[in-house]
Amino acid sequence: WKALSFPGGFPETNYLSLPPVFPKDDYTVSMWIKQIESQDWVSALYVRYQGGFASFMPVVKGGRSIYRINEDAHLDVWHDAITKALNVDEWNFVAATYDSFAAIIRLYINGELCATISGVPNMGEAKEVWIGGDVFQNSFCGLISAVQISNVTMESIEIKEMYDKIREELNH
């Protein structure tokens, strides 16, 4: 099983920049993450839009993980799907879905629905997609593998099946 290794570091260093492949409407993004060290507010995934950003942070203060969307025009409004923090030195499967019609984000950890938030704005087209860091915080320290981005909002059963299939293939 292959994974990208991220050594951590200062903001805007040691990350992988992808083409802006994030769909502008419905999407599902998933990946396997193994943190080497616990770092508050560090992004494993960061997407910059024309008017805001989305980010998955495995650990934030208070022992939580967050998939966050924020609009630049409303800096005091955070659309956070929150769950317990991912364990350090363990592989975890993370998936986030966005349903543009219902304006809902769902966050899954290891195939289980952990958080749902409604009233989330459609951010439009992505300008940048980064794996392993963002522009605000230090870079991610750990391993990331099997990043998948699709232009459909997968259902809970599909997320669970994807998790089970990969887990079985990898014997996790």
Side-chain angles (χ1 to χ4, degrees):
W1 189 25
K2 305 282 186 196
L4 295 172
S5 178
F6 295 90
F10 295 108
E12 299 187 63
T13 64
N14 303 321
Y15 66 90
L16 175 65
S17 178
L18 301 177
V21 294
F22 242 69
K24 67 178 186 171
D25 293 316
D26 299 343
Y27 64 80
T28 299
V29 58
S30 64
M31 67 187 80
W32 285 85
I33 298 173
K34 183 178 183 180
Q35 299 177 96
I36 302 302
E37 64 182 62
S38 181
Q39 304 165 276
D40 284 341
W41 298 105
V42 170
S43 294
L45 168 74
Y46 174 77
V47 182
R48 180 70 192 157
Y49 295 94
Q50 183 65 36
F53 72 90
S55 176
F56 175 72
M57 294 164 271
V59 178
V60 297
K61 296 231 184 275
R64 291 177 265 216
S65 293
I66 289 182
Y67 184 74
R68 166 174 278 182
I69 291 182
N70 181 259
E71 296 176 281
D72 292 343
H74 303 284
L75 293 177
D76 58 338
V77 178
W78 303 97
H79 304 282
D80 293 342
I82 303 171
T83 189
K84 66 179 183 145
L86 300 185
N87 292 329
V88 174
D89 210 28
E90 289 180 18
W91 280 105
N92 289 277
F93 177 74
V94 175
T97 65
Y98 177 68
D99 179 332
S100 63
F101 181 76
I104 293 175
I105 291 174
R106 291 182 178 88
L107 177 61
Y108 299 82
I109 306 295
N110 296 329
E112 300 296 324
L113 178 62
C114 295
T116 301
I117 185 152
S118 60
V120 180
N122 185 326
M123 299 301 289
E125 290 189 37
K127 289 175 39 181
E128 298 176 279
V129 178
W130 292 6
I131 305 296
D134 67 43
V135 297
F136 303 108
Q137 301 293 330
N138 287 338
S139 297
F140 178 77
C141 181
L143 304 169
I144 298 177
S145 184
V147 176
Q148 296 181 22
I149 302 167
S150 66
N151 63 349
V152 296
T153 305
M154 294 176 114
E155 299 294 327
S156 293
I157 189 71
E158 295 172 293
I159 299 288
K160 178 73 167 131
E161 288 171 354
M162 183 169 46
Y163 165 73
D164 287 341
K165 180 181 179 206
I166 295 172
R167 189 171 151 241
E168 184 177 305
E169 288 174 7
L170 302 173
N171 275 334
H172 283 328

